[in-house]
């Protein structure tokens, strides 16, 4: 498939996501229509030692742990996520798996595009660029971690759990940020051809 076709498909997906987000944002209904990857329940992995908390052996959870990790203290990051899920489990239905809710929230918050700046003659234009799955998830994770820092709960575990819950309910500022980026990308979609032409 050509680059131009990929760009067209991405913008069609963004339009569909924007239409869905406009009807579900700031409501109390969890909607995952913007998700592009199905999420299945996870089974926890066996910890390497008694000091390492039980977390699912999953690529997305591992990416979250690695993003949160500081100074190589992976066990501490795993404990923070594990404790956050305990707080999250108190907010959701008893039949729901908190890690599944977490994965759905990350997927819901993941943008499809980013805006990069490039020069077109003497002007600087904003060019929408499609993101790979891992890039999409990283942006969602960073946004959610940043948003949790601004919350009023006392501990990180409580703040992050509350942020994940808000994303799952469609009332998080992270979703507004994603929607704003998609709107800007659509407004600058004509500039996508600039990036395509520079690669030829």
């Amino acid at each position: 498939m050509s680059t131009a076709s990929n760009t067209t498909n991405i913008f069609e997906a963004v339009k569909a996501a924007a239409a869905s987000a406009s009807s579900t944002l700031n409501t109390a209904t969890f909607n995952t229509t913007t998700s592009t990857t199905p999420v299945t329940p996870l089974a926890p992995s066996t910890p390497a030692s008694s000091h390492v908390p039980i977390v699912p052996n999953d690529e997305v959870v591992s990416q979250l742990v690695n993003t949160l990790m500081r100074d190589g203290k992976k066990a501490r990051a795993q404990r923070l996520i594990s404790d956050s899920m305990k707080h999250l489990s108190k907010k959701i239905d008893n039949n729901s798996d908190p890690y599944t809710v977490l994965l759905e929230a990350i997927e819901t918050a993941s943008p499809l595009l980013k805006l990069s700046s490039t020069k077109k003659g003497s002007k600087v234009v904003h060019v929408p660029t499609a993101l790979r799955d891992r890039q999409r998830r990283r942006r969602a994770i960073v946004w959610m971690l940043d948003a949790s820092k601004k919350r009023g709960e006392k501990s990180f575990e409580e703040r992050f759990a509350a942020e994940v819950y808000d994303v799952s309910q469609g009332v998080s500022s992270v979703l507004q940020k994603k929607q704003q980026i998609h709107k800007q990308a659509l407004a600058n979609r004509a500039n996508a051809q600039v990036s395509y032409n520079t690669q030829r």
Side-chain angles (χ1 to χ4, degrees):
M1 184 177 293
S2 66
T3 304
S5 298
N6 282 333
T7 302
T8 301
N9 291 337
I10 286 293
F11 280 119
E12 290 177 354
V14 169
K15 288 180 181 179
S20 174
S22 62
S23 62
T24 59
L25 196 61
N26 296 324
T27 67
T29 302
F30 179 32
N31 192 321
T32 58
T33 54
T34 59
S35 173
T36 59
T37 304
V39 177
T40 56
L42 300 174
S45 60
T46 303
S49 69
S50 59
H51 299 289
V52 180
I54 298 177
V55 295
N57 185 16
D58 177 79
E59 179 183 1
V60 180
V61 177
S62 177
Q63 186 175 3
L64 170 60
V65 169
N66 291 336
T67 303
L68 180 62
M69 180 176 61
R70 294 293 181 271
D71 301 324
K73 298 179 180 179
K74 190 169 186 177
R76 181 176 184 274
Q78 289 176 324
R79 178 181 58 78
L80 289 174
I81 297 303
S82 179
D83 291 346
S84 296
M85 295 303 97
K86 293 177 183 178
H87 287 286
L88 180 60
S89 64
K90 299 176 183 178
K91 296 176 175 291
I92 61 178
D93 296 335
N94 293 332
N95 295 329
S96 299
D97 175 30
Y99 281 102
T100 301
V101 175
L102 170 65
L103 297 187
E104 290 174 342
I106 291 175
E107 182 62 33
T108 301
S110 299
L112 296 173
L113 299 163
K114 69 174 181 178
L115 285 174
S116 55
S117 299
T118 187
K119 294 197 70 175
K120 183 180 180 182
S122 59
K123 296 181 179 179
V124 176
V125 296
H126 300 291
V127 180
T129 306
L131 295 170
R132 295 189 295 272
D133 287 344
R134 188 171 181 83
Q135 293 174 322
R136 295 176 59 242
R137 292 195 300 263
R138 176 169 176 78
R139 277 169 170 74
I141 290 170
V142 170
W143 289 349
M144 291 170 66
L145 290 175
D146 288 344
S148 67
K149 294 177 182 178
K150 302 175 183 178
R151 302 187 66 94
E153 290 81 1
K154 293 183 179 180
S155 66
F156 166 82
E157 295 90 330
E158 292 174 317
R159 292 194 300 270
F160 186 68
E163 185 61 32
V164 171
Y165 181 76
D166 282 356
V167 172
S168 73
Q169 297 299 304
V171 295
S172 172
S173 60
V174 170
L175 300 181
Q176 296 176 351
K177 187 172 185 177
K178 171 188 173 181
Q179 188 179 29
Q180 183 63 28
I181 287 180
H182 282 177
K183 286 182 178 179
Q184 292 174 353
L186 287 174
N188 291 276
R189 60 186 178 274
N191 295 334
Q193 192 67 22
V194 175
S195 178
Y196 173 64
N197 288 336
T198 57
Q199 296 174 4
R200 297 179 62 180

